[in-house]
Amino acid sequence: MPLTKPQKEVLTCDKRFRVLISGRRFGKTFLAINELAKFGRFPNKKIWYVSPSYRQSKNICWNMLKDRIIKHKWAKKINEADLSIVLKNNTVIQLKGADNEQSLRGVGLNFIVLDEFADIKPQAWYEVLRPTLSDTGGHALFCGSPKGFNFAYDLYTRDDPEWQSFKYTTLEGEQVSQEEIEQAKNDLDERTFQQEYLATFVNYAGIIYYNFDRNTHIIDQHETNSKVIHIGMDFNIDPMVAVVSEKVNNDLIIYDEIQIWSSNTDEMVQEIKSRYKDNHIIVYPDPASRQRKTSAGGFTDLAILKNAGFEVKARSQHPLIRDRINAVNSKLKNANGMSSLFVTKSCKNVIKSLERQIYKEGTSVPDKDSGFDHFNDALGYLVEYLFPLRREFKPSEPTRWS
Ligand SMILES: Nc1ncnc2c1ncn2[C@@H]1O[C@H](COP(=O)(O)OP(=O)(O)O)[C@@H](O)[C@H]1O
Ligand SMILES: [Mg+2]
């Protein structure tokens, strides 16, 4: 069966790492099998096909691959028990599941396909699979549909001469008719349709800062106008973080971020002073800093900030997490569609955190396991203090989880 035009574009690209993002039923797995066979023409190679689970690999790839190999009479030995095929030229093609990380500890692979890779844990690639390509100079092909701004997005946007990315809609794959796609459009909410059929990276259900939008809120750079800077701060030891902003009328512009690992408040103070020597600095810390002592000297975090000459503004009571979240979301976009919070593109961690922190599934409890909470906490203390929500409005419940 001939490949479609977009499949051929991916096929003919000779970059070492290729990332193919598409809508569902574009023909990714079809192409992947084609690629396994193509690399299989070279003798004495080791080739893997990896999907999120062993079962999935078996279901979506095994029969198609086998048929193809058998049809061309290339097989020397087919092993159903471990889903491997030894070709007559001694090249081995094997199917794996990323659910069993132990089984991925291979050596010297020449080619790997990672299918549905948005559902594969990043560590499986970075820590386990990527190293197996090093000695051999092996190649990899990533296939998948978008899944929010996760690891797949990182690889898709990777800017590196060894990498090439491709993105196609379901329609461009020519396997699904326009009518069927129109039907799906009726059945799905807009975001799901965009993600699943148009292969658009969209914020997914459960996202906390759902008003954040790269096109609106990220600015290239910011020229500071004022000597007064406002810094939101969160006191973890790992990491201790701060967001640096300037207030321009009603707008708040975040233009620097500080993240220090295994640190303490004294170190953070040093860092701020070294970056901003001549400024009037107002810090908006976690109100718990009134009591908490992160550093050894016996002073509270709040006292350390004051002793450093900073003006410190913290509520006497801890603001509700929900109030902080609502305050940030309102600054991102209020009910009239106005945005008044902006982030320069250099603040990569702030952006990532806004884009990615989610609620724990089915709850209104922000997830803290992914590490995106620190910058958002720091930002929340700052925004909530400077722009508190008017209490006569009852903020609406976030309802984005499914
Ligand atoms: N070039 C092609 N020629 C014929 N059939 C194709 C081609 N590409 C894909 N298909 C078929 O289209 C369907 C969807 O392809 P698949 O690879 O499973 O899509 P995806 O992995 O992107 O969801 C499958 O039945 C597959 O066999
Ligand atoms: Mg597939």
Side-chain angles (χ1 to χ4, degrees), residues 44-210:
N44 305 312
K45 303 293 181 208
K46 284 179 78 173
I47 299 171
W48 279 9
Y49 170 94
V50 182
S51 83
S53 75
Y54 187 75
R55 201 191 162 84
Q56 200 173 340
S57 292
K58 186 169 184 173
N59 287 343
I60 62 183
C61 180
W62 183 236
N63 285 336
M64 267 214 270
L65 177 66
K66 246 187 344 187
D67 287 351
R68 175 139 190 172
I69 301 291
I70 291 169
K71 194 171 88 193
H72 290 90
K73 302 194 168 64
W74 288 340
K76 181 147 90 183
K77 185 161 166 252
I78 296 182
N79 188 339
E80 294 281 339
D82 67 357
L83 306 184
S84 70
I85 301 176
V86 184
L87 303 181
K88 285 180 178 161
N89 62 8
N90 287 324
T91 284
V92 181
I93 304 179
Q94 186 162 18
L95 273 50
K96 297 277 182 175
D99 51 346
N100 182 354
E101 232 174 74
Q102 279 309 330
S103 78
L104 299 182
R105 300 203 178 266
V107 279
L109 297 175
N110 302 96
F111 179 52
I112 310 180
V113 168
L114 288 94
D115 202 3
E116 296 301 340
F117 77 108
D119 291 310
I120 292 176
K121 284 199 196 122
Q123 314 77 287
W125 164 247
Y126 289 113
E127 292 165 23
V128 188
L129 293 172
R130 175 65 185 84
T132 67
L133 300 173
S134 295
D135 295 344
T136 55
H139 288 232
L141 170 65
F142 299 84
C143 301
S145 298
K147 192 156 195 198
F149 289 88
N150 79 355
F151 154 68
Y153 179 76
D154 289 343
L155 294 192
Y156 173 73
T157 51
R158 194 169 163 134
D159 185 14
D160 185 319
E162 280 200 308
W163 290 68
Q164 175 89 47
S165 296
F166 303 85
K167 187 148 86 74
Y168 304 103
T169 65
T170 297
L171 189 63
E172 288 171 313
E174 298 174 24
Q175 308 304 323
V176 181
S177 69
Q178 176 82 55
E179 294 78 59
E180 218 173 306
I181 292 172
E182 284 306 317
Q183 188 56 48
K185 209 172 187 172
N186 287 331
D187 297 343
L188 299 170
D189 70 78
E190 197 189 352
R191 278 176 198 224
T192 310
F193 178 79
Q194 287 176 343
Q195 172 165 291
E196 302 294 323
Y197 287 83
L198 303 183
T200 311
F201 288 94
V202 295
N203 278 338
Y204 47 105
I207 208 83
I208 296 178
Y209 299 97
Y210 50 83

Side-chain angles (χ1 to χ4, degrees), residues 310-330:
F310 300 158
E311 193 177 332
V312 181
K313 296 191 173 177
R315 296 202 179 284
S316 51
Q317 278 186 343
H318 213 264
L320 291 174
I321 284 198
R322 235 183 65 195
D323 287 349
R324 279 191 270 138
I325 291 172
N326 285 331
V328 171
N329 267 329
S330 303

Side-chain angles (χ1 to χ4, degrees), residues 1-4 7 22-30 175:
M1 274 173 284
L3 294 175
T4 60
Q7 282 171 330
S22 84
R24 50 166 93 159
R25 297 195 68 71
F26 162 84
K28 296 180 289 299
T29 303
F30 189 92
Q175 308 304 323

Side-chain angles (χ1 to χ4, degrees), residues 155-325:
L155 294 192
Y156 173 73
T157 51
R158 194 169 163 134
D159 185 14
D160 185 319
E162 280 200 308
W163 290 68
Q164 175 89 47
S165 296
F166 303 85
K167 187 148 86 74
Y168 304 103
T169 65
T170 297
L171 189 63
E172 288 171 313
E174 298 174 24
Q175 308 304 323
V176 181
S177 69
Q178 176 82 55
E179 294 78 59
E180 218 173 306
I181 292 172
E182 284 306 317
Q183 188 56 48
K185 209 172 187 172
N186 287 331
D187 297 343
L188 299 170
D189 70 78
E190 197 189 352
R191 278 176 198 224
T192 310
F193 178 79
Q194 287 176 343
Q195 172 165 291
E196 302 294 323
Y197 287 83
L198 303 183
T200 311
F201 288 94
V202 295
N203 278 338
Y204 47 105
I207 208 83
I208 296 178
Y209 299 97
Y210 50 83
N211 279 342
F212 181 78
D213 170 19
R214 287 188 157 245
N215 298 325
T216 309
H217 299 108
I218 300 182
I219 55 176
D220 279 347
Q221 61 194 66
H222 173 64
E223 302 290 338
T224 52
N225 304 300
S226 152
K227 282 215 173 262
V228 182
I229 59 180
H230 303 271
I231 299 184
M233 198 180 287
D234 185 42
F235 296 95
N236 300 283
I237 297 164
D238 257 327
M240 177 160 278
V241 309
V243 294
V244 180
S245 71
E246 180 172 353
K247 192 168 165 291
V248 185
N249 303 319
N250 188 45
D251 289 350
L252 191 66
I253 293 125
I254 311 292
Y255 64 93
D256 194 11
E257 60 178 30
I258 305 175
Q259 170 165 255
I260 316 180
W261 294 90
S262 57
S263 180
N264 58 40
T265 312
D266 298 298
E267 268 183 36
M268 180 53 93
V269 165
Q270 289 313 316
E271 184 59 29
I272 292 173
K273 286 193 159 174
S274 75
R275 291 194 196 190
Y276 301 101
K277 286 184 199 62
D278 306 317
N279 294 80
H280 177 83
I281 293 167
I282 310 176
V283 181
Y284 304 76
D286 177 351
S289 60
R290 290 175 184 284
Q291 293 89 35
R292 192 152 56 206
K293 297 170 186 169
T294 316
S295 304
F299 295 104
T300 63
D301 289 326
L302 194 103
I304 292 170
L305 296 174
K306 284 189 169 159
N307 290 343
F310 300 158
E311 193 177 332
V312 181
K313 296 191 173 177
R315 296 202 179 284
S316 51
Q317 278 186 343
H318 213 264
L320 291 174
I321 284 198
R322 235 183 65 195
D323 287 349
R324 279 191 270 138
I325 291 172

